[in-house]
Amino acid sequence: MNTSDTSPETITVDDSDTPEVGTAGAEPNTSMQEYYKLQQELYVITLTITGIIFVFVWVFYSLNIALNYLIGATTSVVYLRMLAKEVESIGGDKRSVGKTRLAIFVGLMILATQLNQLKILPIFLGFLTYKAALIIYVVRTSLMPNS
């Protein structure tokens, strides 16, 4: 073994399938596309449930109760959007989790208790619409995993 050889050697590295530093490989891109698809599907399910329940409440109760439900359901969609943004930013420098989302719900309930025209129960049940969308999504994907 000759260690006195100080001539520089050229080393060639084939990095055609190696992602560059600072860029994401194919896996995160695919998972983010799946996440955006899931996000869009949850929005569609939530808005569909909102429309159906709004019509049923309007027919069987009154327009006032239906509008109260719609206020809660609209807040539910905003809450779901904020939740999606927070989930998307996981891994970054953000450390405060859920305080503004909780403030929206608490503010809505305080507003409902202070105004005589608003009813608490339809607003609360409207807010839970996103939960119904999550349950429908989980049941559907559990029973039909290939769809």
Side-chain angles (χ1 to χ4, degrees):
M1 180 166 157
N2 186 1
T3 58
S4 64
D5 186 19
T6 59
S7 63
E9 294 182 21
T10 305
I11 300 174
T12 306
V13 177
D14 181 25
D15 62 349
S16 59
D17 54 22
T18 306
E20 295 180 23
V21 176
T23 62
E27 184 68 30
N29 191 17
T30 305
S31 62
M32 286 307 290
Q33 287 175 351
E34 290 176 10
Y35 171 71
Y36 291 135
K37 182 181 173 190
L38 168 67
Q39 189 177 5
Q40 182 179 8
E41 190 171 351
L42 287 176
Y43 288 143
V44 168
I45 294 171
T46 303
L47 292 174
T48 303
I49 292 172
T50 298
I52 292 169
I53 293 176
F54 174 76
V55 169
F56 274 99
V57 171
W58 188 1
V59 168
F60 291 109
Y61 290 99
S62 68
L63 180 60
N64 187 28
I65 300 292
L67 290 174
N68 280 283
Y69 168 79
L70 193 60
I71 290 171
T74 303
T75 306
S76 173
V77 172
V78 171
Y79 183 88
L80 185 61
R81 178 72 180 146
M82 292 174 74
L83 181 64
K85 285 290 188 184
E86 192 169 302
V87 167
E88 189 175 359
S89 70
I90 287 180
D93 294 334
K94 187 174 182 182
R95 297 292 179 228
S96 64
V97 177
K99 293 178 183 174
T100 52
R101 289 192 334 257
L102 182 62
I104 286 182
F105 175 69
V106 170
L108 178 66
M109 288 295 112
I110 290 172
L111 184 69
T113 58
Q114 299 301 315
L115 297 176
N116 291 333
Q117 296 88 358
L118 297 179
K119 308 290 184 215
I120 296 172
L121 188 59
I123 290 175
F124 179 71
L125 293 176
F127 182 78
L128 293 179
T129 303
Y130 84 96
K131 295 272 191 187
L134 290 173
I135 291 170
I136 288 172
Y137 177 79
V138 168
V139 168
R140 187 179 57 81
T141 56
S142 296
L143 296 178
M144 300 176 293
N146 295 331
S147 63

